[in-house]
């Protein structure tokens, strides 16, 4: 088998079509050079966050496409795209684990390079929040157009495409909560409790966001169904 590389045919810089298509010359130049780093581990910190932005870009694209399918009453197609978005978010969350290898004293040096920069300014995270808000509105409108409430939906068959889409939205909400949890856990492991972040925000304030729901009516439907059950009615009577 010949190992002679094939000539590049795509336009752009780079000696191979892989380099030209992936734009590796640009991609690999986006990190600080060794001379610019406050500490060698700054490369680890920057790569994790830059790759997170790429994952968020993909997630936003998948959710935007899902919105288009919901708008034309195609819940099955939307479901598949949101599943992919959820898996992408899980992979983005998993990569945060490596940040546990940042030494607290060494990260204190890296923080000096961040200025007032904060993860809350992430454009990818903002786009994710915006997209889930739009999804929540679009799904609620779709149910309303069919004269259904979330409770009605959850009293139906799990094989119903709308039911399955609702469950996928709930799973996405769980992935978001897991991201927030991992973010908080890693942050406190590196910089500790009771300290201020780069924007003078208490790091422990992140805990308040973990229980925030992006699709609240789908969670409330569960509560309503539980309270309407015989056991739920008994519990309410016992509390009186």
């Amino acid at each position: 088998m010949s190992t002679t590389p094939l000539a590049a045919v795509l336009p752009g810089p780079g000696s191979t079509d892989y380099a030209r298509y992936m734009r590796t010359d640009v991609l690999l130049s986006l990190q600080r050079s060794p001379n610019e780093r406050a500490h060698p581990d700054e490369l680890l910190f920057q790569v994790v966050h830059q790759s997170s932005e790429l994952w968020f870009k993909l997630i936003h694209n998948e959710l935007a496409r899902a919105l288009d399918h919901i708008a034309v009453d195609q819940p099955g197609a939307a479901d598949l795209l949101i599943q992919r978005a959820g898996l992408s978010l899980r992979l983005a969350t998993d990569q945060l684990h490596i940040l546990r290898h940042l030494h607290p004293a060494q990260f204190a040096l890296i923080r000096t390079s961040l200025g007032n920069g904060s993860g809350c300014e992430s454009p990818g995270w903002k786009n994710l929040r915006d997209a889930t808000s739009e999804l929540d509105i679009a799904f609620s409108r779709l149910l309303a157009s069919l004269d259904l409430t979330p409770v009605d939906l959850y009293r139906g068959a799990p094989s119903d495409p709308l039911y399955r889409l609702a469950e996928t939205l709930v799973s996405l909400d769980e992935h978001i909560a897991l991201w927030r949890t991992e973010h908080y856990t890693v942050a406190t492991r590196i910089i500790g409790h009771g300290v201020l972040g780069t924007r003078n925000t208490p790091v422990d304030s992140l805990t308040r966001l973990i229980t925030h729901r992006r699709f609240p009516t789908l969670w409330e439907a569960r509560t309503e169904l539980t309270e309407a059950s015989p056991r739920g009615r008994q519990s309410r009577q016992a509390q009186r």
Side-chain angles (χ1 to χ4, degrees):
M1 181 181 296
S2 174
T3 58
T4 303
L6 297 176
V9 296
L10 297 177
S15 60
T16 65
D17 278 338
Y18 178 87
R20 294 180 181 185
Y21 180 79
M22 295 297 177
R23 301 185 65 185
T24 54
D25 58 324
V26 175
L27 181 64
L28 300 179
S29 69
L30 297 178
Q31 297 75 44
R32 289 191 169 209
S33 67
N35 293 335
E36 295 174 310
R37 298 170 197 156
H39 185 275
D41 282 347
E42 192 170 350
L43 179 61
L44 168 62
F45 183 79
Q46 199 168 30
V47 165
V48 168
H49 284 79
Q50 287 184 342
S51 56
S52 293
E53 293 298 336
L54 290 175
W55 280 117
F56 285 141
K57 182 176 183 178
L58 175 62
I59 292 166
H60 181 253
N61 182 73
E62 305 292 59
L63 297 183
R65 292 173 62 195
L67 274 166
D68 291 339
H69 284 296
I70 291 175
V72 293
D73 194 17
Q74 295 177 342
D79 183 10
L80 292 175
L81 288 164
I82 298 170
Q83 285 186 45
R84 286 185 3 183
L87 176 57
S88 297
L89 183 53
R90 192 186 81 184
L91 294 172
T93 302
D94 287 346
Q95 73 176 10
L96 295 180
H97 285 263
I98 197 172
L99 294 178
R100 287 175 168 79
H101 290 267
L102 289 174
H103 190 284
Q106 294 167 352
F107 183 69
L109 297 175
I110 295 173
R111 289 186 79 193
T112 63
S113 301
L114 303 181
N116 293 323
S118 169
C120 68
E121 297 172 323
S122 161
W125 185 250
K126 178 183 181 301
N127 288 337
L128 170 60
R129 295 199 314 268
D130 291 345
T132 53
S133 295
E134 293 177 26
L135 276 169
D136 185 41
I137 293 171
F139 188 68
S140 295
R141 286 176 176 169
L142 178 58
L143 290 184
S145 71
L146 299 171
D147 199 24
L148 289 172
T149 68
V151 172
D152 295 331
L153 185 64
Y154 279 118
R155 286 193 173 116
S159 58
D160 181 350
L162 278 177
Y163 186 109
R164 292 167 59 186
L165 176 56
E167 286 297 89
T168 297
L169 291 172
V170 169
S171 293
L172 178 61
D173 223 345
E174 289 180 323
H175 285 303
I176 292 171
L178 290 172
W179 163 272
R180 292 186 188 277
T181 301
E182 182 65 15
H183 182 204
Y184 169 72
T185 302
V186 169
T188 54
R189 176 161 177 158
I190 298 172
I191 65 175
H193 291 278
V195 298
L196 299 179
T198 49
R199 293 181 62 85
N200 291 325
T201 302
V203 68
D204 294 314
S205 66
L206 295 173
T207 58
R208 296 196 299 268
L209 301 173
I210 293 173
T211 57
H212 180 73
R213 302 301 188 189
R214 306 302 304 177
F215 306 99
T217 58
L218 298 181
W219 295 95
E220 291 163 2
R222 289 161 161 74
T223 302
E224 188 172 338
L225 286 167
T226 299
E227 291 180 342
S229 69
R231 183 64 178 269
R233 289 194 293 269
Q234 291 174 3
S235 297
R236 290 200 306 276
Q237 290 172 356
Q239 293 172 0
R240 292 174 183 172

